[in-house]
Amino acid sequence: MYLLQLHINNASQNNDSEIVLGDFITDAIPKWHLLTLNKKNHELLQLIALIFCGPKYLDYLPCALDDYFKCPDQSLIIKFVYAVHQHREKLSNISSTILRNGFQISPDFKGSYTHKKNLTGFYDQLEKRNLFYSTGNIPYFFLAYGNHLEHHTGTDNFDFIDPNFRITRFYSLFDKNAKLTDPTEYLKRLHYRAILKNRYPAKQALEQLTTYISTLLNIDTSCWMNKECNFDRQWSRFPDYQKQLLHPVIDASRHIIDASPFVADAFNIPGILLFHSPYTLCPPNMFSSWMKLWDALFPNMQMIVTLSPQAMTKVPDSIVSKRLKLPSVSISKKKSKAPIILPKKSILLIDVDSRLPNLALMKLSNYYKSKGWSVVKVRPELKTKHAEKIFASVIFNKSLNKINRLNNYYGDRLTTGGSGVSITKRLPKTIENLQPDYSLYPELEDRAIGFLTRGCPKKCEFCIVPVKEGKTHQVSDLDDLLQNRSKVILLDDNILSYPNADQLFEEMVQKNISVNFTQSLDLMLITKERAKMLRRIKCHNTKFTRNNYYFSLNNTDHLNLLRRNYGYFQFKPGENVEFIYMYGYNTTFQEDIDRLKFIKSLPAAYVFTQEYKSCLNGPQPKLSNFFDHDADRLIDELISINFSQNMKSMENYYRWISQKYVHQFKKIHHPLVDTIFRYNYRDKKGQYIQKCLEMF
Ligand code: SF4
């Protein structure tokens, strides 16, 4: 993001000001904006920071907002034009990267984005877009510094536990006591990732810091890339003026890397950096080199700086002439909102919530096409008045809201089906017996999908299969299902419970096909011979990109038997054996841990966690005795169980446990929260903690 123009009304020093930082008619803007050091421009920097603070965070900014008002009984309004980098800002559906907006603060100090109608006359040809930050870590990267800088010493937190961490990046512009990054602690962390863990992005960053600081500031960084570098000792040897020069550089480097978790070359990201009177922080003879350092380290950062006339003369011409290329539109045309035009005699098929291609819809499609109808599959949110019949399939009863909306819109023309609305309703036999229309899901490519058998003789109380399908019975043969394909996603509920399952397996081996047993194999029904047979079948994941076996473990019954049966497969470490691990139904926390430890003890096994959601008229979870008095010890145990893959799925379970813990014990289990955010979404941790606190 770059800032191009500002129109300011009712600011104390900048009333009715128009500031042009870049001309959006051209394709590039100046990288450096040198503003004369005075009260007015100091205020200008702070007003810019208010925009990027955003309405929600305004209360947390360490400043007295009334200082910025010329007339206290009128709103302060800042209209602005800015350029967005779509990939970073995660913007879609824009036709230009140059946008406009307005930010206003009312006399009672409430911030908001200006309504479109109040922007009339301010570059009407540009689209108005608000700034959406989420946690604010990645989009709209913005940093600002004042001219009096303090830093943390042993008190810094690198774990995003402050939900307002984004705006702390510019506190020093408002508060001379605000603290920047702890330099040695940060360098140690960067060094650890770069040198000891050999992580490429960190290595790049440390290398660039080391090189530019040494070549441009003549500061000795020669051992920074060494394994044994002791940053406490190194830092203590620097004279104070060198430390002062390095503090903001290191702080900027920390925040830029934080804001670029998936970027190899973080220092190249675009953004805005404000600096109020940096000259006062630097020995005059080093100012020019210091500016070159900022310029070289952060080549795509727009720099807006206030400087005294004397300091201006020290800024090298080579950087003043630098320009930043304005981003161009690289994505999506706007999604058409035009109504779907359907031919006469049209059927609309709506797949409300299937995770896999929906077999019932595929069969309906085949049926109606054979009768001369046009068939169109649409997402549930796309509606059209013109279809004559509409069929919607719902698997989960959590989707009932969507069904109600569809019902309201389509009325009598809508027919619903699937276990989310009824467990007894079936396709008419004539349609059920048809082949599925594969053209409905072209993403299936060369994979077949369907059932060889349906039903299950067991009676797991949470499961609808025994009621819906009865005992296991064959519904298709392999040739019919494959339709000359060599890969099949089998939806069978419990194929191993079918008395002639072994014959079906033998046929799969003979045909040399690849099979995805997507509903998992019942480990209780495995024998030595069956395991041998299943090892001869090419068992794959649903995408058929790797070998994968699937089992389920929903409780702690018969673990010894299951271990014995698992052993028949003779899996080796490095293979992929997924255990679907349902939680949140009737197991206790102790039983959950026992299950996880059991899976962990099996070679090649890992978990896929799945929260229990009751199906239509299904039993409610029975969790009143979930935690016993030993919850903390069990959480410690949980945290120590790691699988070699799919830990992201475990994060869902950690979250569920952590929220149950908050509900029951009215406190946060911080090590568990640390574990949730150990690898992913680190920047969301502070917000998560805040949400938990609100649950007390
Ligand atoms: S074994 Fe599986 S399919 Fe059979 S009743 Fe239990 S959960 Fe349902």
Side-chain angles (χ1 to χ4, degrees):
M1 167 202 59
Y2 299 136
L3 190 59
L4 306 181
Q5 298 206 15
L6 294 150
H7 287 199
I8 304 170
N9 292 111
N10 195 32
S12 169
Q13 304 289 325
N14 287 271
N15 192 30
D16 288 332
S17 294
E18 291 190 12
I19 294 105
V20 178
L21 300 166
D23 183 351
F24 57 86
I25 308 296
T26 60
D27 63 353
I29 57 165
K31 174 176 177 181
W32 287 81
H33 303 274
L34 307 181
L35 307 170
T36 308
L37 178 63
N38 55 31
K39 236 173 145 183
K40 184 175 177 212
N41 284 332
H42 185 201
E43 184 196 71
L44 176 63
L45 295 192
Q46 293 178 329
L47 294 175
I48 294 173
L50 292 184
I51 299 174
F52 294 106
C53 174
K56 203 172 136 195
Y57 295 89
L58 209 53
D59 290 345
Y60 302 97
L61 215 52
C63 64
L65 289 173
D66 51 348
D67 289 350
Y68 302 109
F69 283 70
K70 186 167 178 62
C71 297
D73 51 355
Q74 289 174 21
S75 291
L76 164 62
I77 301 173
I78 312 164
K79 297 173 186 167
F80 57 99
V81 176
Y82 62 114
V84 288
H85 295 80
Q86 288 166 278
H87 179 62
R88 276 200 72 81
E89 270 80 74
K90 294 198 175 13
L91 287 172
S92 55
N93 298 340
I94 53 172
S95 49
S96 165
T97 55
I98 311 297
L99 303 169
R100 67 178 173 144
N101 202 352
F103 181 69
Q104 59 190 51
I105 305 174
S106 63
D108 58 348
F109 310 125
K110 297 274 174 283
S112 60
Y113 291 117
T114 309
H115 195 277
K116 191 175 173 183
K117 71 175 189 286
N118 296 329
L119 285 180
T120 307
F122 179 69
Y123 296 108
D124 294 330
Q125 74 274 31
L126 299 178
E127 189 181 336
K128 174 199 185 289
R129 279 279 177 132
N130 292 350
L131 283 65
F132 289 107
Y133 289 107
S134 177
T135 67
N137 187 35
I138 297 176
Y140 310 109
F141 185 77
F142 182 83
L143 264 180
Y145 297 102
N147 62 351
H148 181 96
L149 301 177
E150 296 284 328
H151 66 87
H152 282 280
T153 310
T155 52
D156 206 351
N157 184 288
F158 294 89
D159 275 345
F160 298 98
I161 57 170
D162 179 355
N164 300 328
F165 73 87
R166 181 181 63 82
I167 62 168
T168 65
R169 290 172 179 167
F170 40 97
Y171 272 8
S172 72
L173 185 63
F174 297 90
D175 177 6
K176 62 183 173 37
N177 297 314
K179 290 204 167 30
L180 304 193
T181 298
D182 181 332
T184 49
E185 193 48 41
Y186 171 67
L187 286 171
K188 279 189 239 171
R189 283 163 180 264
L190 183 62
H191 179 264
Y192 174 79
R193 295 203 305 272
I195 307 300
L196 302 182
K197 289 288 171 188
N198 204 17
R199 304 245 165 88
Y200 179 78
K203 205 166 183 169
Q204 280 278 101
L206 187 61
E207 216 160 65
Q208 287 174 36
L209 276 173
T210 306
T211 309
Y212 285 127
I213 291 173
S214 126
T215 52
L216 290 168
L217 299 185
N218 207 16
I219 292 175
D220 182 13
T221 58
S222 55
C223 73
W224 285 19
M225 299 295 287
N226 295 347
K227 222 173 181 170
E228 297 77 26
C229 182
N230 181 327
F231 282 96
D232 289 317
R233 200 178 316 134
Q234 285 288 309
W235 192 260
S236 67
R237 285 182 186 153
F238 292 147
D240 283 348
Y241 78 90
Q242 288 188 346
K243 288 180 186 166
Q244 186 157 291
L245 290 182
L246 293 181
H247 284 152
V249 173
I250 286 170
D251 184 79
S253 125
R254 176 255 187 100
H255 292 301
I256 288 171
I257 291 171
D258 273 356
S260 318
F262 313 112
V263 177
D265 203 352
F267 290 170
N268 274 338
I269 65 165
I272 301 173
L273 194 152
L274 312 184
F275 214 142
H276 173 54
S277 189
Y279 191 62
T280 51
L281 298 169
C282 184
N285 63 337
M286 294 192 72
F287 187 68
S288 174
S289 311
W290 195 45
M291 288 290 101
K292 280 186 188 164
L293 174 75
W294 284 98
D295 186 66
L297 263 182
F298 311 123
N300 295 315
M301 202 61 64
Q302 182 184 22
M303 306 283 194
I304 308 175
V305 184
T306 57
L307 288 173
S308 64
Q310 184 201 1
M312 293 238 193
T313 63
K314 308 256 180 194
V315 181
D317 289 345
S318 60
I319 72 167
V320 175
S321 58
K322 286 260 173 81
R323 292 180 72 77
L324 295 170
K325 204 168 165 1
L326 285 176
S328 53
V329 177
S330 59
I331 53 167
S332 76
K333 296 161 202 142
K334 281 198 170 189
K335 274 188 195 150
S336 168
K337 286 189 180 161
I340 314 165
I341 308 291
L342 296 173
K344 273 196 174 159
K345 221 181 163 201
S346 284
I347 297 280
L348 218 58
L349 299 180
I350 304 177
D351 184 347
V352 175
D353 54 9
S354 313
R355 290 188 189 131
L356 288 166
N358 188 299
L359 202 58
L361 294 185
M362 290 164 84
K363 291 186 175 186
L364 278 166
S365 172
N366 194 357
Y367 176 78
Y368 279 102
K369 277 184 183 172
S370 72
K371 302 268 175 226
W373 290 73
S374 298
V375 175
V376 181
K377 177 167 74 74
V378 293
R379 298 191 306 273
E381 56 286 3
L382 277 180
K383 304 200 175 62
T384 172
K385 291 274 182 205
H386 312 292
E388 286 165 53
K389 290 175 196 268
I390 301 103
F391 294 93
S393 170
V394 195
I395 307 293
F396 304 104
N397 83 23
K398 65 177 183 195
S399 307
L400 282 180
N401 279 347
K402 286 185 190 166
I403 281 295
N404 289 341
R405 282 199 291 273
L406 290 171
N407 254 323
N408 289 342
Y409 189 83
Y410 292 116
D412 292 347
R413 289 177 299 154
L414 177 72
T415 307
T416 55
S419 45
V421 287
S422 164
I423 60 169
T424 51
K425 200 170 182 183
R426 317 223 44 137
L427 287 177
K429 270 256 167 320
T430 39
I431 302 180
E432 180 64 56
N433 291 339
L434 289 174
Q435 283 299 324
D437 173 10
Y438 279 91
S439 68
L440 206 61
Y441 291 94
E443 63 270 30
L444 271 170
E445 295 176 340
D446 58 348
R447 294 169 291 172
I449 186 166
F451 294 86
L452 283 173
T453 67
R454 285 183 186 257
C456 176
K458 294 191 174 178
K459 299 225 172 333
C460 304
E461 60 179 8
F462 57 84
C463 179
I464 56 169
V465 169
V467 181
K468 190 172 174 225
E469 307 290 356
K471 294 222 167 92
T472 319
H473 54 284
Q474 189 161 358
V475 291
S476 170
D477 65 39
L478 199 53
D479 283 333
D480 251 13
L481 186 54
L482 287 169
Q483 295 288 305
N484 297 323
R485 292 174 169 83
S486 60
K487 296 173 186 165
V488 60
I489 299 173
L490 275 188
L491 302 171
D492 297 39
D493 309 301
N494 189 350
I495 190 170
L496 279 159
S497 65
Y498 178 53
N500 291 333
D502 295 349
Q503 276 171 26
L504 296 174
F505 295 147
E506 181 62 49
E507 214 183 327
M508 291 173 200
V509 175
Q510 293 311 323
K511 290 189 186 306
N512 197 24
I513 58 168
S514 300
V515 184
N516 167 245
F517 291 100
T518 193
Q519 302 299 81
S520 80
L521 294 164
D522 188 342
L523 201 46
M524 281 294 288
L525 302 179
I526 290 293
T527 60
K528 215 179 217 174
E529 295 67 37
R530 283 182 151 180
K532 234 179 191 173
M533 177 82 81
L534 284 161
R535 289 293 262 167
R536 289 168 61 208
I537 298 171
K538 293 187 279 180
C539 293
H540 278 87
N541 58 353
T542 44
K543 290 190 171 157
F544 292 81
T545 51
R546 67 178 200 178
N547 292 335
N548 234 131
Y549 286 81
Y550 297 87
F551 301 109
S552 299
L553 190 64
N554 296 330
N555 53 47
T556 49
D557 295 345
H558 315 296
L559 290 185
N560 286 336
L561 190 67
L562 296 178
R563 183 184 300 284
R564 185 200 68 187
N565 293 355
Y566 187 87
Y568 292 149
F569 284 92
Q570 299 187 1
F571 290 119
K572 301 272 175 310
E575 291 191 83
N576 307 302
V577 185
E578 184 170 296
F579 273 81
I580 297 161
Y581 172 94
M582 183 181 78
Y583 62 91
Y585 175 54
N586 65 349
T587 48
T588 64
F589 192 22
Q590 177 68 63
E591 287 167 340
D592 282 4
I593 297 289
D594 290 345
R595 285 192 291 154
L596 286 172
K597 284 191 340 203
F598 173 78
I599 297 169
K600 174 72 188 166
S601 71
L602 302 173
Y606 65 93
V607 284
F608 176 79
T609 65
Q610 207 166 47
E611 186 180 353
Y612 171 72
K613 298 276 182 223
S614 68
C615 53
L616 199 66
N617 303 324
Q620 289 305 304
K622 300 165 189 163
L623 296 168
S624 49
N625 296 320
F626 182 75
F627 286 119
D628 61 11
H629 59 281
D630 230 1
D632 289 336
R633 182 186 60 77
L634 289 175
I635 290 182
D636 289 345
E637 244 186 288
L638 171 67
I639 292 170
S640 69
I641 302 170
N642 285 307
F643 291 94
S644 57
Q645 55 177 307
N646 214 25
M647 283 304 285
K648 208 153 182 221
S649 156
M650 280 293 281
E651 285 167 13
N652 297 331
Y653 181 61
Y654 295 150
R655 252 172 219 265
W656 183 80
I657 293 285
S658 109
Q659 285 174 23
K660 272 198 92 49
Y661 184 91
V662 170
H663 269 298
Q664 179 142 348
F665 301 107
K666 309 286 176 245
K667 60 180 181 176
I668 294 170
H669 194 292
H670 284 282
L672 181 57
V673 173
D674 291 345
T675 309
I676 298 171
F677 296 97
R678 182 169 42 186
Y679 302 117
N680 299 302
Y681 310 114
R682 289 175 57 233
D683 53 310
K684 296 194 192 307
K685 188 169 168 179
Q687 289 188 349
Y688 181 80
I689 291 173
Q690 196 174 39
K691 211 174 104 196
C692 289
L693 288 170
E694 286 161 11
M695 286 159 64
F696 288 179

